[in-house]
């Protein structure tokens, strides 16, 4: 695999689109200087390009292996992880108090985009550790933080998230894993968890499992779930590693993609664990980790989309077929208009998704670090609104773009000789991870829209309309045309949002939720178009080819995506009626 991060596009998206400058001078980011962006991205690109990308197809072919000693990572992955760890990448955005560098989350997201693009199976390992770190910082005791955070932040240890059980998928409240109190204040954890990403491996010296389980006599459902820390290796009082805990991988899942990421069936047989947070309040603690993972999974969609675009673009320059004006003999397929249209579709959608994720990262940092409560509250509302969109819209985009990459390759895309097929297979898990995209849509309309009585979307739409106005004010004919499309998209999203709010208030929730996925798709399209338009306006001061590229992407997105927005409102407001009203005929249910 050949991968080269689009460094200029990424830096521009951070600074001019996601507005990373809002974090300058804030106390938690005392080490941050805009001059750091380029050297950090350049160094991360070297690791992604020179170390991780060459292992991508190797990992796909060999996968991880379960042995009598535990799970062995794919060839080369342990050495690659050592370079990742020694480079300090795990602690990029972690607080200095725990050995981190205290840099913005959005900058760390850009770095992780490269690692996921070069090798998604590898990127999944630190992704779960990020969530474990955030959960411990937010909910751990002082002793737990001192025991686990320094080594997690350093990358010496990795973290996992243990929710799913054979009978409890998205319905986490149905889990049965037990936690029995021990006399010393610890708990004996017994149960089985499935689909545990990097649940066991040999790339780090310890694995810190965050496990949901039930205490004796806990209430039924999600109200009776607690969260526990269960280390693979026990940690002695002096910080050294002790005996092996009673937890192990008893099987590796056979998957369609991400073969080098070990997806484990984990067995806890009276394993020693410690409570995080309050009894029966574990789901609230776990949501800290899940929200971190949701944004990072959205970033996976961006990353795989970028990798698919680069792979398809390279192939389109090399593959010769058909004739084209001005070309002697068979022409590279890049000369064919439909191929260029497909590649532009891929690139525009990736650029929109990248900006959504980066902007969500900036909002997350502001929600914690802004000096005044009003700014923190506004940023938290923005983070909450963008998180389900980043997760669902960006991962759906990643699958679609990877599919287009296969299409560009033609028959070769269906063969194992090209990377296109692997990227498509790898991408397909992301819309399922961390709450399926249907659940994200329900969360968007049920909590993020209705929970704020529409205020979160009204503020967002105000910014969209301001971007349209700034584009129109340039008097550039192309930007004026883009502005008109963006304004029409905003009007459509406002109409759909108002309908959603009324449907939820009138207790017609079934009909509202039937349109939730279509609503999220429209929201992602309009907000993505807003960021692309902002980029095109901001790029007016850049050099010619870069400015032209931003304008081309925004214009193409406006005419092919935003132009459809007004006609999609009825699909949200009425699209669910036919199957809801005829459920018995369609599905055999009343």
């Amino acid at each position: 695999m050949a991968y080269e991060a689009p460094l200029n596009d990424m830096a521009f998206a951070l600074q001019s689109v996601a507005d990373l400058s809002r974090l300058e001078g804030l106390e938690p980011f005392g080490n941050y200087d805009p001059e750091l962006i380029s050297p950090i991205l350049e160094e991360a690109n070297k690791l992604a390009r020179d170390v991780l990308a060459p292992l991508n197809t190797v990992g796909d072919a060999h996968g991880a292996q379960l042995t009598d000693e535990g799970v062995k990572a794919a060839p080369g992955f342990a050495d690659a992880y050592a370079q990742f760890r020694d480079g300090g990448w795990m602690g990029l955005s972690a607080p200095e108090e725990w050995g981190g560098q205290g840099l913005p989350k959005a900058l760390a997201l850009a770095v992780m985009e490269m690692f996921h693009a070069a090798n998604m199976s590898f990127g999944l390992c630190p992704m779960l550790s990020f969530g474990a770190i955030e959960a411990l910082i937010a909910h751990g005791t002082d002793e737990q933080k001192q025991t686990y955070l320094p080594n997690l932040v350093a990358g010496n240890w990795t973290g996992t998230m243990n929710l799913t059980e054979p009978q409890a998928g998205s319905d986490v409240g149905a889990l049965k894993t037990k936690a029995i109190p021990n006399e010393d204040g610890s708990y004996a954890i017994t149960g089985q968890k499935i689909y545990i990403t990097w649940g066991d491996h040999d790339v780090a010296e310890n694995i810190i499992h965050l496990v949901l389980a039930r205490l004796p006599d806990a209430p039924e459902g999600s109200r009776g779930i607690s969260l526990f820390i269960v280390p693979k290796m026990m940690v002695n009082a002096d910080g050294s590693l002790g005996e092996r805990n009673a937890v192990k991988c008893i099987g590796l899942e056979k998957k369609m993609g991400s073969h080098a990421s070990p997806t484990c069936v984990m067995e806890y047989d009276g394993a020693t664990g410690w409570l995080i947070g309050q009894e029966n309040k574990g789901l609230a603690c776990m949501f800290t980790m899940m929200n971190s993972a949701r944004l990072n999974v959205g970033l996976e969609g961006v990353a795989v989309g970028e990798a698919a675009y680069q792979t398809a673009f390279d192939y389109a320059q090399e593959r010769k077929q058909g004739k084209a004006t001005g070309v002697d003999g068979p022409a590279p397929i890049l000369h064919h208009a439909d191929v260029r249209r497909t590649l532009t579709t891929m690139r525009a959608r990736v650029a929109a998704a990248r900006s959504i994720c980066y902007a969500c990262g900036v909002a997350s940092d502001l929600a914690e670090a802004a000096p005044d409560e009003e700014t923190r509250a506004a940023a938290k509302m923005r983070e909450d609104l963008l998180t389900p969109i980043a997760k669902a819209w960006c991962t759906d985009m990643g699958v679609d773009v990877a599919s287009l990459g296969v299409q560009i390759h033609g028959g070769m895309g269906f063969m194992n000789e090209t990377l296109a097929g692997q990227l498509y297979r790898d991408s397909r898990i992301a819309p399922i991870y961390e709450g399926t995209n249907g659940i994200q849509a329900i969360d968007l309309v049920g909590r993020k829209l209705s929970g704020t009585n529409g205020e979160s979307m009204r503020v967002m739409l105000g910014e969209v309309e301001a971007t349209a106005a700034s584009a129109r004010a340039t008097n550039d004919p192309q930007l004026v045309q883009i502005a008109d499309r963006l304004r029409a998209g905003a009007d459509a999203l406002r109409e759909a949002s108002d309908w959603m709010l009324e449907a939820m208030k009138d207790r017609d929730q079934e009909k509202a939720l039937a349109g939730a996925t279509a609503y999220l798709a429209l929201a992602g399209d309009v907000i993505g178009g807003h960021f692309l338009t902002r980029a095109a306006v901001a790029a007016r001061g850049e050099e010619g080819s870069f400015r032209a590229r931003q304008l081309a992407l925004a214009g193409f997105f406006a005419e092919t995506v935003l132009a459809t927005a007004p006609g999609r409102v009825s699909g949200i407001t009425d699209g669910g009626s036919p199957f809801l009203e005829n459920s018995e005929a369609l599905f055999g249910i009343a």
Side-chain angles (χ1 to χ4, degrees):
M1 176 183 179
Y3 170 76
E4 187 76 41
L7 298 177
N8 289 339
D9 289 349
M10 297 171 79
F12 184 74
L14 283 170
Q15 295 174 288
S16 299
V17 182
D19 206 3
L20 190 62
S21 62
R22 295 185 67 187
L23 304 179
E24 291 179 34
L26 297 185
E27 183 177 350
F29 308 117
N31 290 335
Y32 171 65
D33 183 325
E35 297 298 320
L36 291 172
I37 293 176
S38 290
I40 287 175
L41 295 185
E42 288 168 3
E43 286 302 311
N45 182 45
K46 292 176 184 176
L47 180 62
R49 178 192 63 207
D50 301 336
V51 178
L52 301 182
L55 293 176
N56 200 21
T57 54
V58 174
D60 184 62
H62 290 270
Q65 303 295 324
L66 179 59
T67 71
D68 291 341
E69 291 77 36
V71 176
K72 300 297 182 183
F77 272 59
D79 289 341
Y81 185 82
Q83 294 184 58
F84 168 86
R85 179 198 64 217
D86 294 344
W89 297 110
M90 192 67 241
L92 198 65
S93 61
E96 291 183 85
E97 177 184 4
W98 305 113
Q101 299 174 49
L103 295 173
K105 180 183 293 184
L107 182 55
L109 286 171
V111 167
M112 283 304 299
E113 179 193 329
M114 299 184 210
F115 299 159
H116 282 303
N119 194 322
M120 179 175 154
S121 287
F122 179 92
L124 284 164
C125 182
M127 189 192 84
L128 273 301
S129 297
F130 284 126
I133 289 168
E134 289 194 28
L136 280 168
I137 289 174
H139 306 289
T141 65
D142 289 342
E143 182 181 359
Q144 289 168 348
K145 293 175 184 178
Q146 293 287 347
T147 301
Y148 299 105
L149 281 175
N151 278 299
L152 282 169
V153 169
N156 298 325
W157 302 348
T158 65
T160 72
M161 178 166 53
N162 286 238
L163 288 78
T164 307
E165 298 180 7
Q167 79 292 341
S170 297
D171 183 10
V172 179
L175 66 83
K176 297 180 180 179
T177 297
K178 298 178 181 179
I180 307 300
N182 295 320
E183 293 183 358
D184 62 358
S186 66
Y187 295 79
I189 312 298
T190 300
Q192 189 178 105
K193 300 289 184 177
I194 62 172
Y195 305 153
I196 307 307
T197 301
W198 283 88
D200 192 38
H201 56 77
D202 60 346
V203 307
E205 62 185 13
N206 202 5
I207 304 171
I208 310 305
H209 302 290
L210 270 60
V211 185
L212 289 179
R214 291 187 179 282
L215 294 166
D217 303 321
E220 293 293 324
S222 60
R223 295 183 299 110
I225 296 173
S226 300
L227 182 63
F228 299 87
I229 301 174
V230 185
K232 175 182 176 179
M233 306 297 297
M234 301 295 287
V235 182
N236 297 321
D238 63 359
S240 63
L241 296 183
E243 297 180 353
R244 174 74 183 262
N245 206 350
V247 53
K248 64 180 180 179
C249 172
I250 60 173
L252 287 180
E253 307 286 2
K254 307 296 184 183
K255 303 175 295 182
M256 66 181 288
S258 60
H259 294 153
S261 170
T263 302
C264 302
V265 180
M266 301 297 297
E267 182 178 73
Y268 294 83
D269 186 13
T272 303
W274 289 267
L275 180 71
I276 303 178
Q278 301 179 31
E279 293 184 359
N280 303 324
K281 301 294 183 181
L283 201 55
C285 298
M286 183 60 81
F287 265 109
T288 299
M289 191 174 189
M290 289 181 69
N291 280 330
S292 168
R294 284 171 175 171
L295 176 54
N296 277 281
V297 168
L299 192 74
E300 287 180 339
V302 179
V304 176
E306 175 65 36
Y309 166 75
Q310 291 191 20
T311 303
F313 179 62
D314 290 346
Y315 185 80
Q317 295 179 88
E318 297 170 0
R319 172 63 169 161
K320 295 182 178 181
Q321 185 168 305
K323 296 184 180 299
T325 302
V327 179
D328 294 331
I333 62 173
L334 183 61
H335 287 265
H336 302 318
D338 185 65
V339 171
R340 295 200 304 275
R341 176 187 177 89
T342 302
L343 288 168
T344 305
T345 299
M346 297 168 76
R347 190 166 192 176
R349 295 188 68 189
V350 168
R354 176 179 291 124
S355 295
I356 290 173
C357 288
Y358 290 5
C360 189
V362 170
S364 177
D365 279 333
L366 279 173
E368 295 183 6
D372 61 283
E373 176 58 31
E374 183 179 357
T375 302
R376 290 195 299 273
K380 180 60 177 173
M381 187 169 66
R382 175 59 51 83
E383 179 193 9
D384 289 346
L385 178 72
L386 288 183
T387 295
I389 297 171
K391 194 278 173 181
W393 193 87
C394 297
T395 57
D396 282 341
M397 178 282 301
V399 174
D400 291 344
V401 166
S403 179
L404 291 175
V406 172
Q407 192 71 19
I408 290 288
H409 284 73
M412 284 302 298
F414 204 66
M415 302 297 112
N416 287 333
E417 287 89 341
T418 60
L419 181 65
Q422 181 195 335
L423 293 172
Y424 185 42
R425 288 186 287 106
D426 288 351
S427 71
R428 192 57 192 84
I429 186 59
I432 299 170
Y433 274 150
E434 310 308 334
T436 65
N437 285 357
I439 291 174
Q440 304 305 314
I442 292 170
D443 177 58
L444 177 62
V445 302
R447 292 190 179 93
K448 309 310 168 52
L449 179 70
S450 299
T452 64
N453 196 29
E455 181 65 13
S456 58
M457 187 59 77
R458 280 192 290 272
V459 173
M460 184 76 248
L461 285 170
E463 291 188 20
V464 175
E465 290 163 350
T467 294
S470 68
R472 174 168 277 281
T474 64
N475 291 320
D476 180 308
Q478 289 180 282
L479 282 170
V480 169
Q481 185 174 348
I482 293 169
D484 290 343
R485 293 298 194 192
L486 181 58
R487 183 57 192 255
D491 290 343
L493 181 54
R494 188 182 301 279
E495 180 182 350
S497 299
D498 290 344
W499 180 88
M500 274 288 175
L501 282 169
E502 290 303 313
M504 295 295 283
K505 287 178 183 177
D506 293 343
R507 301 188 182 278
D508 192 5
Q509 294 187 9
E510 190 79 356
K511 188 174 180 181
L513 296 181
T517 291
Y519 174 77
L520 187 148
L522 177 62
D525 287 348
V526 173
I527 294 170
H530 150 69
F531 285 126
L532 289 180
T533 305
R534 178 185 284 183
V537 173
R540 297 184 78 223
E542 301 291 329
E543 55 90 15
S545 62
F546 186 88
R547 179 174 66 247
R549 183 163 70 246
Q550 301 303 319
L551 185 61
L553 293 176
F556 181 82
F557 193 90
E559 294 305 317
T560 59
V561 178
L562 293 178
T564 70
R568 291 160 56 194
V569 175
S570 63
I572 297 168
T573 59
D574 298 321
S577 297
F579 74 81
L580 289 176
E581 294 169 2
N582 296 284
S583 287
E584 186 170 1
L586 284 170
F587 310 112
I589 58 175

